[in-house]
Amino acid sequence: MAEELSGVTVVFIIAGGVLTIILLFIFAKRQIMRFALRSRRGPHVPVGHGAKKSLKKEIHRRVDLIPKIVYEPQVINDNDSRYILPPGSQLPPFYYRLKACDDVKLLEKEITKQDGSLHRHPTENLRAYLLNTLGTPLNGVGQKLVQQFCDLYEHARHDPADFGDEEYQAYSRILLKLMDAARLLKNYGGNRKMSPRCTPVRAKPNEKNREPVENKTRDRRDETESNRESNETSV
């Protein structure tokens, strides 16, 4: 009887140990999966799971476009009563900064009005955009004006130093010159500087130059055929 009890006890001990190991394994696996899912940026289920291949491609295409959606709003409303002040009162110190950020949109609208292909994306560098678009109408002076304008714009937007009425007046004077240059873009439509991001398009070969080449190849082909026929007849 003692031997039977000892055997049953051993079986129970082994079964309990195996069960404990299995439970620990399942618990560890669940914890690892929880941490892995928490650290992932994507959803737990793949996007478009179970959908058609074409629909899944369209879903992924639209999801990839989300980081490119950027918008620069107008920061000052013209009808905002906070900036309609009685005579003798001072504007808040941040007003000129906001006004300078909004005035850039006026310049961009004028450039786009003259040439619809010169639209600037909010993520595109403003300095490079203005140098590429307004360099030709300003005839060499444009680079200096654009640099000064962009320096004042970055001062208004990012620099913690004061940006008051004096800085804004200098900013506005340069803005008016750039607006005048933007109105001349229609006259320089074909001579405008090309953006460095654009790849040059290879010019197609001229038809006049193509005709002699085609004639030469045709003559050579006729000569080879005639030589081949003469060789066959001689044989």
Side-chain angles (χ1 to χ4, degrees), residues 218-229:
R218 192 180 297 112
D219 294 339
R220 290 178 182 175
R221 193 180 303 165
D222 294 338
E223 289 179 1
T224 53
E225 289 179 357
S226 61
N227 292 331
R228 188 182 301 169
E229 290 176 357

Side-chain angles (χ1 to χ4, degrees), residues 1-229:
M1 186 68 180
E3 293 179 357
E4 292 179 358
L5 289 175
S6 62
V8 172
T9 305
V10 171
V11 171
F12 276 116
I13 291 172
I14 294 173
V18 172
L19 184 60
T20 304
I21 292 172
I22 293 173
L23 290 175
L24 289 175
F25 175 76
I26 294 173
F27 178 76
K29 186 178 179 181
R30 285 174 61 86
Q31 289 297 110
I32 292 171
M33 290 295 295
R34 285 180 62 188
F35 285 118
L37 292 174
R38 189 178 297 177
S39 62
R40 282 179 58 189
R41 294 184 179 180
H44 301 331
V45 180
V47 178
H49 179 70
K52 294 181 180 179
K53 189 175 181 180
S54 59
L55 180 59
K56 191 182 295 185
K57 284 184 178 180
E58 181 65 19
I59 292 172
H60 285 291
R61 186 186 69 82
R62 297 194 179 194
V63 170
D64 293 337
L65 289 176
I66 291 175
K68 299 179 182 179
I69 300 175
V70 184
Y71 177 67
E72 292 180 349
Q74 183 178 355
V75 290
I76 292 183
N77 189 1
D78 296 333
N79 299 323
D80 196 342
S81 59
R82 291 178 297 175
Y83 305 117
I84 302 175
L85 303 176
S89 57
Q90 293 183 352
L91 289 167
F94 57 84
Y95 174 80
Y96 296 105
R97 293 180 183 272
L98 303 181
K99 188 68 175 170
C101 293
D102 283 344
D103 288 348
V104 175
K105 294 299 176 185
L106 299 176
L107 179 59
E108 292 179 9
K109 287 179 181 178
E110 186 63 35
I111 293 173
T112 310
K113 179 182 176 182
Q114 303 300 327
D115 191 342
S117 63
L118 297 177
H119 178 72
R120 172 182 168 265
H121 193 269
T123 58
E124 187 178 355
N125 185 270
L126 178 65
R127 194 183 299 266
Y129 170 76
L130 294 178
L131 286 173
N132 290 328
T133 54
L134 301 180
T136 303
L138 290 170
N139 293 327
V141 189
Q143 186 172 2
K144 184 178 179 181
L145 283 175
V146 169
Q147 296 290 353
Q148 292 176 354
F149 178 79
C150 292
D151 289 341
L152 288 171
Y153 173 75
E154 291 176 358
H155 177 193
R157 186 166 183 175
H158 303 293
D159 199 333
D162 292 337
F163 187 87
D165 182 52
E166 184 178 353
E167 290 81 7
Y168 179 73
Q169 293 301 328
Y171 177 85
S172 298
R173 286 193 293 270
I174 301 175
L175 176 64
L176 292 176
K177 294 180 181 178
L178 296 180
M179 293 279 285
D180 293 336
R183 295 186 183 98
L184 300 175
L185 283 174
K186 283 186 177 180
N187 302 329
Y188 296 91
N191 300 325
R192 189 179 61 252
K193 285 185 178 180
M194 186 176 59
S195 174
R197 297 186 303 170
C198 299
T199 55
V201 180
R202 292 184 179 180
K204 295 182 179 179
N206 194 358
E207 294 182 356
K208 294 181 179 179
N209 297 330
R210 189 187 301 174
E211 289 179 358
V213 177
E214 292 179 353
N215 293 331
K216 289 181 180 179
T217 54
R218 192 180 297 112
D219 294 339
R220 290 178 182 175
R221 193 180 303 165
D222 294 338
E223 289 179 1
T224 53
E225 289 179 357
S226 61
N227 292 331
R228 188 182 301 169
E229 290 176 357

